[in-house]
Amino acid sequence: MADFQKKVNSGALGGVAAVAVVAIGFLAFTAFTTISAGSRGVLLTFGKPSDRVLGEGIHFKIPLVQSIVKIDTKIKKGEIDTGAASKDLQDVTATVAVNFHPDPERVNILYKTIGLDYASRVIDPSVREVMKAVIARYTAGELITQREDVKNSIKIQLQERLKVFNVILDDFSIVNFSFSKGFTDAIEAKQTAEQLAIKAQRDLERIKIEAEQKITQAQAEAESLRLQKTNVTPELIKLREIEMQTKAIEKWNGQLPTYTGGAMPFLNLSAPK
């Protein structure tokens, strides 16, 4: 009986030892955590964030007492649709693209104050508020013609706002601006009118140039006639008459015209005087 009891006690001790070894192995395994590249860790002691941010690599924590929350610090992208009113009270719908990431050195504060869902709790509301504030300073027409200025103004204000929440804005762009149908139709009508005005101006300039060309041509012809008239003398007229008679004689075949009645026409064949 005593031997049996010893065997039982020995088995029990062996089981306890095995459990202890397993427990120690488990605790040793869970006492280390690896923070991968592009991430940071927040050490929690009984759920309370510490003031130290864990960088990339292997880190120790006290099992059952401490835990580590891993936060991705790589750049994230997103598109947000928002609506606002312009300075001249036109309804504006905008689609914007934002690139952002948590401040790697302050992820513990970000986790403590906002949590892991900071994108929906901070990024979206901040973009919409800044968009409304900036768009309200421009007319609808200025939003189109000064789009780059609008973008830069929104980007600067959004950077400052997100910095307060320990989020860094990497880039911002306006994908699209949309306006009410009435305003869009008015813009198209204005563009059409401007194109017609440009065409009319070009036609007017063409007509003016053509008129000036005709005037120049008429003046040239008048000047030519004046010069010709100035150069006409009695001697020139006599010379032209002789030239005409000479050409007529050269063409004459030697026969006089035949007439059925009346006097025969007289042909002056004498040499010119």
Side-chain angles (χ1 to χ4, degrees):
M1 185 69 180
D3 292 339
F4 176 77
Q5 186 64 39
K6 287 181 180 180
K7 290 181 179 180
V8 171
N9 292 337
S10 177
L13 290 175
V16 171
V19 171
V21 170
V22 172
I24 292 173
F26 174 78
L27 293 176
F29 178 77
T30 59
F32 295 94
T33 301
T34 301
I35 306 297
S36 60
S39 299
R40 293 293 186 272
V42 178
L43 181 65
L44 306 180
T45 302
F46 292 114
K48 180 180 179 181
S50 68
D51 295 333
R52 186 167 63 94
V53 175
L54 304 180
E56 301 168 0
I58 299 175
H59 298 275
F60 173 80
K61 61 183 177 63
I62 302 174
L64 305 178
V65 175
Q66 295 179 322
S67 60
I68 295 177
V69 177
K70 300 176 184 179
I71 299 179
D72 185 2
T73 57
K74 294 187 290 293
I75 295 177
K76 298 172 178 57
K77 301 179 180 180
E79 283 194 1
I80 301 172
D81 295 324
T82 183
S86 64
K87 186 177 181 180
D88 52 351
L89 302 181
Q90 293 290 338
D91 292 332
V92 183
T93 301
T95 300
V96 299
V98 290
N99 293 355
F100 60 92
H101 71 276
D103 185 343
E105 306 305 320
R106 300 176 66 83
V107 291
N108 56 332
I109 301 175
L110 174 65
Y111 177 79
K112 182 178 180 180
T113 57
I114 299 174
L116 296 177
D117 58 342
Y118 64 91
S120 61
R121 296 181 62 183
V122 171
I123 304 297
D124 292 6
S126 296
V127 169
R128 290 190 172 91
E129 289 181 17
V130 172
M131 289 288 292
K132 289 180 180 179
V134 174
I135 288 176
R137 302 206 311 261
Y138 294 84
T139 64
E142 290 171 342
L143 291 174
I144 298 174
T145 59
Q146 302 178 30
R147 181 165 176 163
E148 191 65 21
D149 292 339
V150 175
K151 169 199 165 184
N152 292 335
S153 181
I154 294 173
K155 183 176 181 180
I156 291 172
Q157 291 195 32
L158 190 57
Q159 282 177 329
E160 294 175 351
R161 185 176 182 86
L162 294 182
K163 187 177 180 180
V164 175
F165 298 105
N166 303 299
V167 177
I168 298 174
L169 178 68
D170 298 286
D171 196 14
F172 172 87
S173 62
I174 299 173
V175 178
N176 183 45
F177 266 140
S178 301
F179 303 90
S180 64
K181 185 177 184 303
F183 179 77
T184 303
D185 292 343
I187 290 294
E188 292 178 354
K190 182 181 178 182
Q191 291 176 340
T192 301
E194 290 176 349
Q195 292 173 355
L196 291 175
I198 292 173
K199 182 178 182 301
Q201 181 65 28
R202 290 176 178 172
D203 290 342
L204 181 62
E205 292 176 355
R206 177 179 55 79
I207 293 171
K208 182 179 179 182
I209 292 173
E210 291 176 351
E212 290 176 349
Q213 290 175 342
K214 290 181 179 179
I215 292 173
T216 301
Q217 182 179 358
Q219 290 175 342
E221 293 175 353
E223 181 65 16
S224 177
L225 292 174
R226 186 187 69 79
L227 292 175
Q228 291 180 17
K229 185 177 181 182
T230 302
N231 294 330
V232 173
T233 62
E235 290 77 9
L236 181 61
I237 295 175
K238 191 66 175 176
L239 178 61
R240 293 290 182 265
E241 290 177 353
I242 293 172
E243 290 175 349
M244 292 177 63
Q245 290 178 1
T246 301
K247 290 180 179 179
I249 292 171
E250 290 174 351
K251 293 180 179 180
W252 185 45
N253 58 9
Q255 295 181 356
L256 296 175
T258 302
Y259 292 88
T260 56
M264 181 180 295
F266 174 73
L267 179 62
N268 185 10
L269 297 177
S270 61
K273 296 179 180 180

